[in-house]
Amino acid sequence: MNIQTERLENHIARFTVELEAAKLEQAKQQAARKLSQRYNIPGFRKGKAPYKIVQQFFGDASILEDAIEILGNDLYKQALDESGIEPYGPGQLDDFKVDPPSLTFVVPMQPSVDLGEYRSVRVDYHVPIIEDDQVDKAMRQLREDNALYEESREPVALGNRVTLELYAKLLEDAASTKEDEAADSTSDSEAHDHEDGHDHDHGHDHGLGGNEFIHEHDAIMLLGEENDEPAPGFRQAILGAALDEEREFELEYPDDEEEYKEYAGKKAAFKVKVKKIENVTLPALNDDLAARITEKEETPLTLLQLRMRTRENLQESAERQAKSDYAGEVLDMLVERATIAFPEAMVDDQTETYLERLDQDFRRQV
């Protein structure tokens, strides 16, 4: 018996097993016996019909098919053992030839990764430093968490906490241009539609163009002096708004990529509805507040101790994030240099698993 192994480009191994004619004939004899044992052949007890009779009764094709099945399992296992290939999944018979007898199997291989020159990867690691303004912001949050909130019917004022229905979309230059052109070209047809008494639904875009990046039904914001979220000028844009009032306005992010990242230099359209207005009474930032925040601890902290611990917590959190980002950056560089091969069957399996999980998630939501 001769076994030839090929590694195909799609990460599949192909085994071609050539065997002696006598071995195939032996398998055909065995297949004929099994057929005669399984079925009734007139004039013979089960399992006692001669090969020629079985051949005439069932035909050469049926006997050969069963013989290949008998040979296949053993030959496939021998081919795997001899090649040393680790299969990802079950193999299958791909071809069979009678003269000379040979069977061809294909099997998906386990994924492989060649890291290449991974030792040359170098990434600088920078230990993050917590600045005073970060600690100040965290301390302000502690005050807000322990503030007294009372509902108000007065218009929105500085220092209030508001609950908003909030939508925001980026107005890309290209998108804005296309919208202007579309508005000009369709104004006549829209006028005609209204004259005919027909309303056309153009989608749930809340009256805003561009790419939506905020969609919140209960966005809670404290309108403090330092707060410029979600965009500089937002606080001023809603001052004076009454309860249930809706406002639409546009704001432009400063061209500062370090602070505003992907929003830097871009304009955004906002649509808000004021759902709740609350007056806020912030506690004084002193030892009494620190003691109240840490009252369940063995020894309540002073304001200075609380600030020091807040800095330590921020530092630990920043270092964890920095290490995670560093590991991710190194991994990305390794992946760029690596050669990864996997069979199509692996993609199919992962797709099926993802769809099953998605189906389960949908069923839980019903």
Side-chain angles (χ1 to χ4, degrees), residues 286-300:
N286 53 26
D287 287 343
D288 290 339
L289 175 62
R292 188 161 76 247
I293 292 173
T294 60
E295 61 183 354
K296 293 184 179 180
E297 300 186 15
E298 184 176 347
T299 303

Side-chain angles (χ1 to χ4, degrees), residues 11-46:
H11 211 57
I12 287 178
R14 181 165 59 197
F15 307 129
T16 301
V17 183
E18 299 176 356
L19 62 155
E20 300 82 2
K23 192 171 184 65
L24 176 59
E25 188 62 31
Q26 181 183 357
K28 290 170 66 177
Q29 294 286 341
Q30 185 178 349
R33 284 194 299 273
K34 287 187 175 182
L35 284 171
S36 69
Q37 291 169 353
R38 194 180 310 142
Y39 301 101
N40 290 319
I41 299 177
F44 298 91
R45 287 182 297 168
K46 281 190 174 182

